[in-house]
Amino acid sequence: MSNVWPLSATRDSDGALSIGGVDVRDAAAEFGTPLFLLDEADIRARAGAYRRAAESVGARKVYYAAKAFLSTAVARWVHEEGLGLDVASGGELAVALRAGVPGADLLLHGNNKSMSEIESAMEAGVARIVVDSFEEIVRVADAAARAGIVQPVLVRLTIGVEAHTHEFIATAHEDQKFGFSVSSGAAEEAIRRIVKLPPLEFRGLHSHIGSQIFDTDGFEEAATRIVAFVARLRDDQVIEVAELDLGGGMGIAYLPSDDPLAIGDLASHVSGVVARECAQRKLPVPALAFEPGRAIVGPAGVTIYEVGTIKPVVIDGGVRTYVSVDGGMSDNIRTALYDARYTVELASRTSDADLMLVRVVGKHCESGDIVIREAHLPSDLAPGDLLAVAATGAYCRSMASNYNYLPKPAVVGVIDGSSSVVLRRETIEDMLMLDPGA
Ligand SMILES: *Cc1c(COP(=O)(O)O)cnc(C)c1O
């Protein structure tokens, strides 16, 4: 059984959930609900563990994938723990720079980077730009020439491996928008063009095979295919590859039954596969990089909701109780989008009452506005109780919307009994300010 709660989560003497030494009832009273709590010590511990695991296998760098959740505070925490950041837009770049992360610790992604995003990245001196199309090779080279610099680049590959959770598929997943296909020859052609352009310095290859991956098979297949491609580039006398960035996708526990890989195991396994494949082909071993997002912030975050309407509904063979909370698909779209599963607990107190079958739903005008499809909560649950949903640190606030004109929730960092605002709650006034007629 995996722990799905942040490392510091405990129950106070009177039964209420506390995170980072902060009672969730106090946090809800001070900052309002819905509320995201982020366990700072947990994020730092995960970032530090990734850095040490990478160092222990001689990897070059770990970049935190900022899209999972980004604010200046989180950028500083992970950077202080020795991680770089992977940013995928001008907005993410701006937050990272505002946090004081130097360009030398940044990597820029994106399948459709604008000229201004490319120029801002170069102005900041980003360490790597991951190029994703033939047009972009020309755009990045032109921008570098105008800036009078030589820009180090990686080439994003599509290698026909796609992994999600327990399964990976090693065929036919080339039909997607990211990267250059290896099998069609596009990737080799891209590299041939890059090496002829003096404003670009080809550093290596990038591959990201998916997300929420629980085993090493997909990474192993990807690494094997990439090294075969590296050998072909040598045999065809195109270039020697110095770096391999293997992307992110490391899974986390949303349910106690989920069984994610330990980071140290993954790093040593993958680096072992790369070393073995390189040895067989008499290739120098390229320096590795990784880009975990979810695995850094996901488990450290919890959403606190207040219970509102409670409605028993007769279903086949019983009753399902719909428990409405004061947020929903605007602060957690993952259930509607990916049928994601979550763990929920009554957080403001404990209860000895029998459990009832519930569906936790939001307050939006969609019947698909479901936070948790199926859970069991005490049958004495009442309006005003607080619920905590575990492992919402990644891809919840960062994918939040203002659907139904709900203000986005605050994100509050908690550590050693104190709380600090990471992102303040939006107000209705904030939203009205965008409307010149209001
Ligand atoms: C999303 C993404 C990541 C991070 O994925 P996680 O599943 O959050 O670890 C890393 N690299 C790239 C290119 C991505 O698109």
Side-chain angles (χ1 to χ4, degrees):
M1 284 288 159
S2 298
N3 172 34
V4 298
W5 298 96
L7 293 176
S8 68
T10 57
R11 290 277 173 173
D12 293 347
S13 53
D14 64 354
L17 180 68
S18 127
I19 299 179
V22 174
D23 186 315
V24 299
R25 295 169 300 185
D26 297 338
E30 183 171 354
F31 303 105
T33 54
L35 175 64
F36 289 104
L37 293 177
L38 279 184
D39 180 340
E40 177 182 340
D42 190 330
I43 291 178
R44 286 183 180 275
R46 286 173 203 283
Y50 262 87
R51 179 181 49 75
R52 286 189 298 278
E55 275 169 10
S56 75
V57 300
R60 210 191 111 246
K61 192 91 182 163
V62 178
Y63 296 97
Y64 166 60
K67 71 178 194 267
F69 175 75
L70 184 61
S71 72
T72 55
V74 167
R76 286 186 194 113
W77 299 343
V78 299
H79 189 248
E80 282 165 14
E81 299 303 326
L83 270 50
L85 270 76
D86 123 23
V87 294
S89 71
E92 290 179 359
L93 174 67
V95 177
L97 293 175
R98 203 60 88 79
V101 180
D105 290 327
L106 297 175
L107 170 148
L108 180 68
H109 269 299
N111 67 301
N112 187 22
K113 304 171 191 75
S114 70
M115 195 43 123
S116 86
E117 287 171 328
I118 292 167
E119 286 167 352
S120 311
M122 284 180 185
E123 207 170 297
V126 302
R128 303 284 180 271
I129 293 181
V130 183
V131 294
D132 202 295
S133 67
F134 288 111
E135 286 97 330
E136 193 173 276
I137 291 171
V138 176
R139 268 185 238 140
V140 173
D142 286 351
R146 278 198 307 278
I149 62 164
V150 175
Q151 177 62 51
V153 297
L154 302 179
V155 169
R156 180 155 180 173
L157 303 179
T158 310
I159 49 167
V161 175
E162 188 164 304
H164 291 288
T165 313
H166 295 290
E167 290 166 27
F168 82 94
I169 304 162
T171 50
H173 275 71
E174 302 225 337
D175 187 6
Q176 51 138 321
K177 69 175 183 172
F178 291 112
F180 293 94
S181 153
V182 170
S183 63
S184 73
E188 181 165 337
E189 174 60 21
I191 296 161
R192 285 181 186 276
R193 292 192 196 176
I194 289 168
V195 296
K196 285 195 204 117
L197 291 166
L200 301 183
E201 180 193 2
F202 173 79
R203 296 291 312 173
L205 304 172
H206 176 282
S207 145
H208 173 73
I209 56 170
S211 208
Q212 186 58 0
I213 301 166
F214 279 159
D215 56 38
T216 53
D217 299 0
F219 289 109
E220 177 164 349
E221 179 69 23
T224 304
R225 289 184 180 212
I226 296 168
V227 175
F229 179 54
V230 170
R232 203 168 86 212
L233 292 172
R234 181 213 34 211
D235 297 345
D236 293 353
Q237 295 180 346
V238 180
I239 198 149
E240 183 172 296
V241 175
E243 294 176 20
L244 293 186
D245 181 333
L246 294 172
M250 302 74 175
I252 64 166
Y254 287 99
L255 303 176
S257 55
D258 289 339
D259 189 17
L261 284 165
I263 159 60
D265 295 349
L266 177 70
S268 60
H269 185 83
V270 171
S271 65
V273 169
V274 171
R276 183 191 73 206
E277 295 294 313
C278 286
Q280 275 173 13
R281 296 180 159 87
K282 301 196 166 47
L283 287 166
V285 181
L288 299 183
F290 298 96
E291 302 172 340
R294 185 192 317 269
I296 304 291
V297 294
V302 165
T303 310
I304 307 297
Y305 294 109
E306 185 177 305
V307 173
T309 305
I310 298 177
K311 190 184 286 183
V313 173
V314 178
I315 56 169
D316 264 3
V319 171
R320 185 191 338 260
T321 302
Y322 278 74
V323 174
S324 297
V325 295
D326 50 356
M329 63 193 295
S330 55
D331 59 73
N332 188 347
I333 191 68
R334 294 191 63 258
T335 305
L337 205 54
Y338 310 121
D339 200 21
R341 305 294 151 94
Y342 284 95
T343 303
V344 61
E345 281 186 13
L346 173 57
S348 45
R349 60 186 174 93
T350 50
S351 166
D352 297 331
D354 290 344
L355 295 178
M356 60 178 175
L357 176 66
V358 304
R359 177 164 288 174
V360 180
V361 296
K363 60 179 285 159
H364 295 280
C365 304
E366 300 266 340
S367 49
D369 172 27
I370 296 169
V371 180
I372 299 173
R373 193 165 290 282
E374 200 163 283
H376 288 86
L377 287 171
S379 53
D380 65 350
L381 194 73
D385 280 332
L386 298 178
L387 297 182
V389 178
T392 59
Y395 303 113
C396 286
R397 181 57 176 77
S398 68
M399 296 177 105
S401 75
N402 289 120
Y403 184 40
N404 286 133
Y405 266 82
L406 258 65
K408 289 178 192 151
V411 182
V412 169
V414 288
I415 187 166
D416 297 336
S418 68
S419 45
S420 57
V421 173
V422 163
L423 290 176
R424 78 155 164 81
R425 174 176 305 283
E426 260 181 357
T427 62
I428 290 174
E429 204 49 44
D430 287 332
M431 292 185 284
L432 287 171
M433 268 166 31
L434 300 175
D435 181 342

